């Protein structure tokens, strides 16, 4: 790949360096959790509830315990007796009435009741996985099946079964955000009101690597090691030790080795790894568990699942006056790790979008149902907010007869910093730049001709816009804390310079497909002026890395990269002192350029490696005032979120005979601030777009309303996007550097999934507008599109 | 997957004898359904009799006015066969659209037809061409072979050895894939023989492959897309699920039949 002309280094900032990690991934040398084996290990299989909601009258394990190879069987009663706690929720939401949200217990193995299909009832540990699975079939569970509720839109209505006794109407919280009085006033005076009813479809994450864990206990050290497919090993350890198992944190090492995709679903502390860590000491054996795909469907936290009524008030010229949003958000059967924050803090704060809407009010009801817990999934609240905002804007433009780009331009925020009415302050942005670039690349001017040409082929062609914004780089810890976060949200980085000048970076961020080993190495190589090959990045091991918060919410480079930059500053500052001594100059006369410490204005200089060597072989060294060694750690807590934003333009063709929608063109112009590796960024955008198009056209988790069974519980019925479901994407970046972090970066991991669903859906509606279609639910499957056409014609 | 005994006989005679004496044995042809079902613990055969070593079951040849295709012939072989492409191109297209590359490399004609999945492609081709299923015991015409969801006229221990496809004047297969599984949500095979009579076989729509008499009548009278449009396909008896209602399936039968006719007319 090409070097960046603006950098002095071939693999510095701005270069599309090939990914270091791909050598092992593409040659089968990756080391995923399921690849890790120990002599004498045993295997766990979890017996799961076949019912959505049932009382457990009894569990008989005698026959199963006698089955070949069985080491032990544990149920909820065993965990209760051992005083194992429930899985905690990491974000406290306070109800409109000032009451804390309802937090029903979340035992790692069910106690008394099961609350969703797939809920863990017992664990069998055996000499082989198949023996554990065979024995589980011999466990006799006597269930008293109860009525269940799965639909978020109706779960809070009177007469519905209560998932938890402590939440009789299935309400976890009713949370309000924004100035309701100002919004109501603006609506009463509005020239036009656009109204939408939206179901944001429930999604199942489907990382290519299923969740997996290997738990070990060492009697000699009285310590545990847990290998787990996870995005944030320190968070996993803290939650598990302090809140569930009551273990000393320093006696547990959590290693998240190579991880095959997470998309949020591997942020959370799950029952399975908790149970096998506890059981590893009880049975004094290493225990391995790897989910089968059917278990992933019924136990990985799902995403989205909102029912929303949204209204936009406008004046006669299409200026936005106010927005009112009422959302019921499905939380599932239990509160997963960050479940409560996703449809509140990460959702309602984004409802301003790119626009100057002066008054916004959102009311969110968190709803318990007999479904798999719902939590953060790529975008986490922001795709839901973007869908509300951009669909409202597109529909308003249609109703008022204003062009889609024009109504957006009329309402763009143009001066920064800009304080929204929903609590965020955007530091910088240039929304016109991405819209103009996308418009040009998409050849919007040529669209009418393309529409006509499609019509001659019997296809209906439509165009859709989405101008999204997201808040990434979570977050200033103090602000998050004031909003209910029960954790800090900084990141940590350590730079360990070796005596010969090569560098190992220890980061609290975690890579599960993002390419940090490459990107972070580029940052270090550029800053220290050393070869990219001389930098290695270590992540994912609490035994090696400083305490950090891991990777989610597009935060790694913005927050983790900033911590690395701060540590590099310390390295350079110390190096200058060492160099000043060696060059017999004043500290203040030393400059660091292109990997050399120089006495300013002279030709006296030392290479970075010479200074590093001196730090570890301190013969000619200021030992009276400086410690030897060159090893620095920094913690970085952001002062604000970052605000990636962009404009996406999608064109689709609908076959009106069959209802099939084909995405024929997709343009994304994004502003991620400065870019370290354009190739990796492009890959992140592509992946996000595919997931967003998947949500818009294909994916939906479906529960049977009567039985509460997950009907879309395998790839036979859950439609994942495939390569031929998407076009060749045209992606572009515009740059307004973030003003408050040292790299000027904003984050790019979620943008594609956030921006694309409304662009696709608006394009489908545009294609069908001459038939009278004004709305389209997700996913716009052929069946749904055909039905919508039939209804419009009727 | 539960434990089972594995056998790999070298001849058809040996295979039939094994299946005759094994209580709960299953023949393994390509295994593209059976193995997956066993892995999900939805099937628990005591024995698997792998037919893969029986070379006499593989191959494609012309016999008079028919194409004779061995039961163990892979989908990929049918799709790539010059003989099939020349004599019944619609059958090559059908085989080339089954599953994915991996499935086509392993899955077999006989396995698919014996399994009679209600959304499989081959049953539509067999019924739509009026083929004859040749077994270790007899010859069964397609109209007598398929017997509803996963059911066929095969008796215990009876194995398909080949299928004889009469050469049509023209034929085509149009498939509307399920967006998730990409099995046929609707697949319509249309063929016309020299005397003008037409067969229309539909898969994916209900409990098993079936012929549509109204479409056949209209197309026998007038083999044009307009003839299809004149027929209102009934939704009665068709499947309804999360992917499609019976009404949508009925509509798609009409659309796919029309597209098959257009393709057949080339």
């Amino acid at each position: 790949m090409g070097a960046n002309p603006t950098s002095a280094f071939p693999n510095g900032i701005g270069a599309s360096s090939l990914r270091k990690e791909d050598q092992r991934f593409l040659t089968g040398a990756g080391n995923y959790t399921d690849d890790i084996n120990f002599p004498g290990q045993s295997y766990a299989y979890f017996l799961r509830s076949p019912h959505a909601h049932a009382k457990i009258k009894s569990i008989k394990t005698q026959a199963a315990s006698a089955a070949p190879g069985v080491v032990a069987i544990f149920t909820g009663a065993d965990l209760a007796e051992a005083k194992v706690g429930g899985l905690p929720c990491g974000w406290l939401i306070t109800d409109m009435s000032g009451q804390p949200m309802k937090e029903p217990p979340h035992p790692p193995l069910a106690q008394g009741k099961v609350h969703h299909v797939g809920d863990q009832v017992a664990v069998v540990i055996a000499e082989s996985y198949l023996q554990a699975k065979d024995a589980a079939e011999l466990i006799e569970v006597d269930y008293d099946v109860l009525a269940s509720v799965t639909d978020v839109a109706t779960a809070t209505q009177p007469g519905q079964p209560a998932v938890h006794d402590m939440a009789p109407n299935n309400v976890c919280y009713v949370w309000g955000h924004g100035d309701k009085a100002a919004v109501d006033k603006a609506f009463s005076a509005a020239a036009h009101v656009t109204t939408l009813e939206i179901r944001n479809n429930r999604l199942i994450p489907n990382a290519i690597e299923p969740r997996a864990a290997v738990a070990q206990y060492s009697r000699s050290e009285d310590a545990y090691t847990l290998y787990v497919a996870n995005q944030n090993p320190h968070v996993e350890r803290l939650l598990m030790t302090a809140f569930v198992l009551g273990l000393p944190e320093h006696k547990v090492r959590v290693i998240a080795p190579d991880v095959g995709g997470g998309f949020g679903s591997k942020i959370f502390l799950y029952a399975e790894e908790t149970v096998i860590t506890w059981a590893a000491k009880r049975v004094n054996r290493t225990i391995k568990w790897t989910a089968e795909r059917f278990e992933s469907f019924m136990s990985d936290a799902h995403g989205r699942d909102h029912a929303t009524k949204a209204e936009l008030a406008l004046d006669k010229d299409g200026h936005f006056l106010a927005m009112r949003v009422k959302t019921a958000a499905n939380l599932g059967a239990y509160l997963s790790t960050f479940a409560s924050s996703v449809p509140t803090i990460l959702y309602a704060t984004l409802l301003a979008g790119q626009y100057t809407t002066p008054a916004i009010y959102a009311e969110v009801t968190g709803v318990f149902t007999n479904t798999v817990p719902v939590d953060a999934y790529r975008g986490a609240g922001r795709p839901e907010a973007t869908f509300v905002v951009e669909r409202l804007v597109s529909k308003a433009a249609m109703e008022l007869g204003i062009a889609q780009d024009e109504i957006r331009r009329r309402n763009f925020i143009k001066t920064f910093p800009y304080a929204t009415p929903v609590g965020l302050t955007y530091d910088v942005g240039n929304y016109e730049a991405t819209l103009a670039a996308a418009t040009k690349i998409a050849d919007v001017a040529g669209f009418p001709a393309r529409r006509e040409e499609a019509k001659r082929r019997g296809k209906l062609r439509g165009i859709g816009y989405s101008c999204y914004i997201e808040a990434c780089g979570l977050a200033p810890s103090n602000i998050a804390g004031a909003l209910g976060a029960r954790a800090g949200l900084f990141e940590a980085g350590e730079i360990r310079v070796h005596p010969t000048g090569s560098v190992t970076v220890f980061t609290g961020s975690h890579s599960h497909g993002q390419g940090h080993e490459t990107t972070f190495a580029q940052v270090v190589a550029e800053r220290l002026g050393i070869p990219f090959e001389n930098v290695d990045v270590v992540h994912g091991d609490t035994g090696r890395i400083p305490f950090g918060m891991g990777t989610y919410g597009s935060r790694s480079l913005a927050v983790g990269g900033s911590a690395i930059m701060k540590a590099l500053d310390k390295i350079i500052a110390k190096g200058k002192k060492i160099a000043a001594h060696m060059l017999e100059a004043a500290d203040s006369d030393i400059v660091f350029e292109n990997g050399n410490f120089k006495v300013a204005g002279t030709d006296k200089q030392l290479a970075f490696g010479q200074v590093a060597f001196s730090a570890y072989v301190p013969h000619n060294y200021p030992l009276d005032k400086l410690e030897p060694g060159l090893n620095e750690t920094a913690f970085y807590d952001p002062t604000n979120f970052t605000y990636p934003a962009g404009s996406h333009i999608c064109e689709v063709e609908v076959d009106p005979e069959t209802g099939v929608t084909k995405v024929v063109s997709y343009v994304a112009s994004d502003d991620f601030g400065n870019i370290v590796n354009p190739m990796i960024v492009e890959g992140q955008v592509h992946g996000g777009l595919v997931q967003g198009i998947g949500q818009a056209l294909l994916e939906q988790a479906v529960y049977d309303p009567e039985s509460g069974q997950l009907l879309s519980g395998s790839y036979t019925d859950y439609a994942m996007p495939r390569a031929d479901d998407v076009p060749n994407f045209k992606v572009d970046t515009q740059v307004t550097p973030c003003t408050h972090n040292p790299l000027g970066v904003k984050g790019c991991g979620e943008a594609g999934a956030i921006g694309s669903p409304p662009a696709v859906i608006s394009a489908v509606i545009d294609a069908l507008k001459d038939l009278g279609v004004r709305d389209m639910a997700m996913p716009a499957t052929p069946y749904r599109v055909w039905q919508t056409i039939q209804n419009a014609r009727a | 997957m539960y434990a089972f005994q594995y056998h790999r006989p070298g001849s058809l005679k040996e295979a039939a004898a094994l299946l005759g004496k094994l209580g709960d044995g299953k023949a393994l042809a390509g295994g593209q359904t059976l193995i997956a079902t066993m892995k999900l613990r939805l099937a628990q055969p005591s024995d698997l009799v792998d037919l893969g070593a029986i070379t006499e079951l593989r191959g494609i040849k012309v016999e008079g006015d028919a194409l004779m295709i061995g039961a163990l012939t892979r989908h990929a072989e049918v799709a790539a066969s010059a003989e099939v492409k020349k004599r019944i191109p619609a059958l090559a297209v059908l085989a080339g659209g089954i599953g994915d590359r991996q499935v086509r490399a392993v899955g077999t004609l006989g396995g698919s037809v014996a399994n009679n999945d209600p959304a499989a492609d081959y049953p539509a081709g067999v019924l739509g061409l009026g083929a004859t299923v040749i077994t270790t015991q007899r010859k069964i015409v397609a109209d007598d072979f398929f017997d509803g969801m996963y059911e066929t006229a095969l008796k215990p221990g009876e194995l398909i050895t080949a299928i004889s496809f009469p050469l049509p004047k023209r034929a085509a297969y149009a498939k509307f894939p399920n967006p998730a599984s990409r099995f046929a949500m609707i697949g319509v095979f249309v063929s016309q023989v020299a005397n003008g009579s037409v067969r229309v076989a539909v898969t994916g729509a209900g409990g098993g492959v079936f012929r549509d008499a109204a479409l056949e009548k209209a197309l026998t009278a007038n083999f044009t897309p307009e003839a299809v449009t004149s027929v209102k396909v009934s939704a009665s008896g068709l499947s309804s699920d999360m992917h499609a209602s019976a009404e949508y399936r009925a509509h798609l039968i009409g659309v796919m039949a029309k597209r098959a006719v257009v393709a057949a007319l080339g």
Side-chain angles (χ1 to χ4, degrees):
Chain A
M1 303 300 285
N4 172 24
T6 68
S7 170
F9 304 99
N11 288 295
I13 291 173
S16 283
S17 305
L18 292 180
R19 303 201 323 168
K20 288 182 173 225
E21 42 274 81
D22 285 345
Q23 177 69 32
R24 69 176 189 277
F25 292 156
L26 298 178
T27 58
N31 190 34
Y32 297 89
T33 299
D34 193 55
D35 295 325
I36 294 166
N37 293 292
F38 294 96
Q41 73 191 9
S42 59
Y43 297 81
Y45 179 79
F46 285 84
L47 180 68
R48 296 177 185 279
S49 170
H51 304 297
H53 197 194
K55 271 188 190 142
I56 300 172
K57 287 158 73 180
S58 67
I59 305 179
K60 291 192 183 132
T61 59
Q62 290 86 341
S65 298
V70 171
V71 175
I73 296 175
F74 298 109
T75 67
D78 298 304
L79 298 195
E81 195 183 311
K83 305 223 174 338
V84 172
L87 304 180
C89 180
W91 203 299
L92 173 69
I93 294 298
T94 303
D95 201 280
M96 281 164 74
S97 60
Q99 296 298 308
M101 65 187 185
K102 304 272 194 331
E103 290 188 76
H106 187 180
L109 294 175
Q111 291 177 9
K113 254 172 90 177
V114 288
H115 293 96
H116 66 88
V117 172
D119 207 353
Q120 299 78 217
V121 174
V123 61
V124 181
I125 298 156
E127 298 297 339
S128 78
Y129 178 70
L130 286 178
Q131 286 174 329
K133 199 169 173 178
D134 287 343
E137 292 187 2
L138 301 173
I139 297 176
E140 295 171 53
V141 186
D142 189 6
Y143 291 104
D144 184 4
V145 179
L146 305 171
S148 61
V149 58
T150 55
D151 175 34
V152 65
T154 53
T156 57
Q157 289 173 1
Q160 293 285 1
V163 180
H164 298 284
D165 293 341
M166 70 185 299
N169 299 317
N170 295 318
V171 173
C172 176
Y173 52 73
V174 181
W175 179 82
H177 189 62
D179 186 341
K180 186 170 189 300
V183 167
D184 290 345
K185 193 177 161 203
F187 267 89
S188 64
H192 184 84
V193 173
T194 291
T195 303
L196 260 181
E197 303 249 0
I198 289 169
R199 289 300 295 263
N200 201 291
N201 43 326
R202 185 184 183 103
L203 304 177
I204 301 176
N206 283 301
I208 196 164
E209 180 207 18
R211 288 190 296 117
V214 181
Q216 282 190 303
Y217 173 70
S218 160
R219 279 204 300 154
S220 64
E221 296 168 30
D222 186 28
Y224 300 79
T225 304
L226 171 66
Y227 298 83
V228 60
N230 180 273
Q231 301 178 209
N232 30 230
H234 269 294
V235 176
E236 169 96 358
R237 180 174 78 167
L238 177 62
L239 293 173
M240 186 187 288
T241 57
F243 295 95
V244 189
L245 297 182
L247 296 172
E249 203 175 351
H250 65 288
K251 290 289 193 185
V252 178
R253 178 177 176 187
V254 175
I255 301 170
D258 284 332
V259 173
F263 313 112
S265 71
K266 292 173 182 165
I267 296 172
F268 321 120
L269 176 65
Y270 284 96
E272 292 87 351
E273 62 254 28
T274 308
V275 170
I276 66 167
T277 301
W278 171 83
K281 182 175 180 181
R282 276 288 286 257
V283 302
N284 194 28
R285 293 281 296 270
T286 298
I287 305 172
K288 179 173 202 169
W289 171 75
T290 302
E292 294 192 50
R293 186 58 67 178
F294 79 89
E295 295 181 279
S296 305
F297 275 91
M298 59 169 74
S299 72
D300 291 6
H302 291 183
R304 321 281 193 253
D305 204 353
H306 286 194
T308 293
K309 186 182 177 193
E311 300 163 280
L312 180 66
L314 305 95
D315 72 11
K316 62 178 174 36
D317 300 319
H319 296 113
F320 307 159
L321 303 174
M323 186 183 293
R324 191 157 53 197
V325 175
K326 190 168 183 180
T327 292
N330 202 339
L331 301 172
Y334 305 102
L335 285 177
S336 174
T337 311
F338 289 108
S340 52
S341 64
V342 174
T344 49
I345 306 298
L346 299 178
Y347 169 68
T349 54
L350 266 297
L351 289 171
Q354 300 187 354
Y355 311 112
T356 55
T357 316
I360 299 171
Y361 178 73
E363 186 183 299
V364 179
T365 305
V367 179
F368 293 115
T369 59
N370 296 112
T371 63
V372 177
V374 180
D375 206 324
Y377 170 64
R378 201 171 194 169
R382 291 154 291 168
E384 296 91 317
T386 300
F387 195 77
V388 167
V389 174
E390 288 304 296
R391 281 296 306 127
L392 273 176
V393 170
S394 291
K395 192 176 182 204
M398 227 171 173
E399 288 172 353
L400 292 172
I402 302 173
Q404 293 292 343
D405 57 342
E406 176 55 25
I407 196 168
R408 287 171 168 83
R409 282 198 175 89
R410 270 183 213 176
N411 290 282
F412 273 161
I413 296 161
K414 297 190 180 78
T415 54
F416 296 89
Y418 176 83
T420 72
V422 275
L424 299 176
T425 299
Y426 302 164
D427 60 330
V428 69
N430 184 352
Y431 309 139
E432 174 57 35
T434 55
L435 180 57
T439 304
K440 185 160 178 252
I441 298 164
D443 181 26
V444 172
F447 174 73
R450 292 193 292 278
R451 183 174 205 140
E452 281 310 306
E453 187 276 330
K455 204 170 177 179
R456 288 195 290 276
R457 287 183 282 111
K459 300 292 197 295
L460 303 176
R461 193 165 176 127
I463 189 166
Y465 287 71
S466 171
C467 295
Y468 74 93
I469 193 162
E470 47 172 333
C472 296
L474 209 67
S477 292
N478 52 355
I479 292 177
L483 293 171
R486 288 163 166 166
L489 290 158
F490 55 84
E491 197 46 85
E494 178 187 345
I495 302 293
R496 187 178 299 171
V497 181
H498 303 292
T500 54
S502 64
V503 170
T504 304
V505 180
F506 298 85
T507 173
S509 301
H510 183 272
S511 183
H512 30 279
Q514 293 87 346
H516 296 164
E517 291 167 39
T518 303
T519 312
F520 290 0
Q522 288 179 255
V523 169
V524 172
E526 166 101 19
R527 188 79 179 99
L528 296 183
I530 60 176
F532 170 72
E533 294 75 19
N534 290 5
V535 185
D536 266 3
V537 175
V538 172
H539 63 93
D541 181 349
T542 62
R544 299 180 72 189
I545 60 170
F547 188 96
M549 298 305 293
T551 286
Y552 43 85
S554 306
R555 70 193 298 272
S556 297
L557 193 58
V559 190
S562 296
I564 290 169
M565 287 293 281
K566 282 189 67 178
L568 289 168
D569 288 345
K570 293 184 188 180
I571 293 285
I572 291 165
K574 186 169 181 182
K576 282 182 179 173
K577 290 181 183 166
I578 299 169
H581 177 88
M582 293 170 74
L583 296 168
E584 297 175 340
D587 291 0
S588 58
D589 288 340
I590 304 294
V591 293
F592 183 63
E593 286 171 6
N594 296 331
N596 294 306
F597 293 96
K598 290 181 182 168
V599 180
T602 74
D603 59 357
K604 287 167 73 178
Q605 67 176 41
L606 290 167
F608 180 75
Q610 292 175 283
V611 170
F613 191 76
S614 181
Y616 291 99
V617 187
H619 297 164
N620 176 17
Y621 195 91
L623 287 167
D624 53 335
K625 49 187 180 186
L626 205 60
E627 292 173 9
L630 201 51
N631 191 359
E632 298 286 353
T633 299
F635 288 75
Y636 175 80
D637 202 285
T639 56
N640 192 355
F641 292 86
T642 63
Y643 299 98
S647 290
H648 291 192
I649 299 177
C650 173
E651 286 183 39
V652 301
E653 284 185 6
V654 177
D655 176 351
E657 259 191 336
T658 58
V660 170
T661 299
K662 193 158 179 53
V663 178
V664 289
S665 164
Y666 201 99
V667 174
S669 178
D670 298 298
D671 179 358
F672 301 132
N674 291 331
I675 287 173
V676 172
N677 185 314
M679 175 195 74
I680 287 177
V681 167
E682 191 171 337
Q684 288 289 314
V685 173
H686 283 200
L689 292 176
V690 173
Q691 279 179 308
I693 291 169
Q695 168 161 31
L697 297 181
L698 294 157
E699 299 182 45
Q700 58 180 335
V702 179
Y703 280 93
D704 181 74
E706 297 301 318
S707 66
Q709 294 293 325
L710 179 61
L711 297 177
S712 57
S714 78
Y715 294 127
T716 305
D717 291 304
Y718 189 87
M720 291 293 285
R722 294 154 160 101
D724 64 356
D725 288 313
V726 297
N728 286 317
F729 300 119
K730 293 175 208 144
V731 303
D732 166 72
T733 50
Q734 301 290 317
V735 177
T736 61
C738 172
T739 60
H740 56 79
N741 66 43
L743 286 162
V745 297
K746 298 181 182 176
C748 68
E750 298 161 292
I754 292 170
S756 53
V760 176
I761 291 298
S762 292
V764 175
I765 294 166
D766 184 58
L768 303 177
K769 69 180 175 192
D770 291 346
L771 300 173
V773 172
R774 291 293 174 269
D775 198 9
M776 178 67 65
M778 294 195 290
T781 60
Y783 176 35
R784 178 166 278 147
V785 170
W786 178 78
Q787 277 179 311
T788 307
I789 293 171
Q790 299 311 110
N791 293 341
R793 281 175 173 162
Chain B
M1 194 178 279
Y2 298 104
F4 58 89
Q5 290 295 317
Y6 174 80
H7 311 267
R8 192 172 166 87
S11 73
L12 197 53
K13 201 175 155 193
E14 202 187 329
L18 268 170
L19 284 164
K21 72 174 192 218
L22 297 169
D24 206 9
K26 276 260 187 195
L28 177 66
Q32 294 306 287
T33 300
L34 180 57
I35 299 294
T37 311
M38 289 170 67
K39 284 172 80 174
L40 291 168
R41 296 192 158 194
L42 298 172
Q44 191 178 1
S46 61
D47 298 77
L48 280 191
V49 178
D50 184 350
L51 308 178
I54 308 172
T55 48
E56 65 197 90
L57 294 179
R58 283 177 87 161
I60 299 164
K61 55 180 188 275
V62 181
E63 283 191 2
D65 287 339
L67 258 183
M68 184 73 84
I69 304 182
L72 265 282
T73 311
R74 313 282 198 238
H75 307 329
E77 292 168 337
V78 174
S81 159
E83 209 63 73
V84 179
K85 284 182 183 172
K86 187 172 151 197
R87 313 278 173 166
I88 318 179
L91 197 59
V93 168
L94 178 149
I98 297 172
D100 54 29
R101 190 176 285 265
Q102 288 81 357
V103 167
R104 291 194 292 273
V106 185
T108 65
L109 169 65
S112 171
V113 171
N115 187 49
N116 192 19
D117 186 302
D121 297 303
Y122 261 135
V126 171
L127 190 61
L129 285 163
T132 299
V133 179
I134 299 155
T135 78
T136 45
Q137 299 177 13
R138 58 197 164 135
K139 293 182 177 178
I140 311 169
V141 296
D143 289 317
D144 296 337
F145 184 82
F146 300 105
D147 201 13
M149 194 180 295
Y150 302 111
E151 298 291 332
T152 67
L154 290 172
K155 295 177 192 153
E158 183 177 16
L159 290 168
I160 300 175
T161 59
I163 295 178
S164 171
F165 294 93
L167 304 183
K169 183 175 158 196
R170 52 171 69 97
Y173 181 58
K175 170 178 174 176
F176 189 92
N178 177 305
S181 69
R182 297 207 173 172
F183 270 84
M185 201 149 87
I186 289 295
V188 177
F189 199 103
V190 173
S191 77
Q192 186 183 38
V193 292
N195 71 6
S197 82
V198 172
R199 294 175 75 97
V200 178
V202 179
T203 187
V209 66
F210 61 85
R211 290 171 65 185
D212 189 306
L215 285 170
E216 288 185 353
K217 191 175 164 209
L219 285 167
T220 299
N222 180 16
F223 196 82
T224 62
E226 292 72 30
V228 175
T229 317
S230 71
V231 175
K232 166 86 177 147
V233 180
S234 165
S236 169
L238 304 188
S239 307
S240 253
D241 55 36
M242 61 182 278
H243 302 289
S245 63
E247 291 71 26
Y248 181 48
R249 280 195 164 89
H251 168 77
L252 286 177
I253 290 170
V255 177
M256 292 300 117
K258 190 174 74 179
R259 291 183 184 182
V261 168
V262 170
L265 290 168

